[in-house]
Amino acid sequence: MQPVMKQLGRRTGLTIYNAPLDNVCMSDFTETCDTTGRSVEAAGHLAIEAVPDLWLHLPQDDLWFRVSSGVEAAQRITSRIEVFFGAIQRAAEKGLNAVSDGAGPAVDFSVPDMLERSSGGLGAGIPQGVE
């Protein structure tokens, strides 16, 4: 997955961190590798059962979102990240619009489409069985 991770970093502009469970850093990620052993504890909290397992971390809220588990193509992972941030942007825009016109709650996450797209799927609105 090392070439995929490098490509993902270039495509998204996100910093890719390597958190090995065996304390062996991938050669291309030595500057962003954590060998303190915290990754083993984090893997337990995040219920990681197999590697590679890719997570998006939002540090300001300490939120973790699984993006990929297992070997996958960079384009598929990138698409999931784009859908995730697109959903956040749409929710924020709806919230701003609702607040400005006094029409209702700032954000409504009960939209059936979003719930249907996220339930029972592979994440980011990708249903199971879609490659």
Side-chain angles (χ1 to χ4, degrees), residues 9 11 20-21 38 43 61 67 73 80 84 106:
R11 283 183 175 183
L21 300 180
R38 294 181 304 174
D61 299 311
V67 176
R80 286 186 183 150
F84 174 79

Side-chain angles (χ1 to χ4, degrees), residues 37-61:
R38 294 181 304 174
S39 56
V40 174
E41 182 180 349
H45 288 290
L46 296 172
I48 295 172
E49 296 179 1
V51 291
D53 211 47
L54 178 64
W55 292 76
L56 180 62
H57 180 233
L58 303 178
Q60 65 275 20
D61 299 311

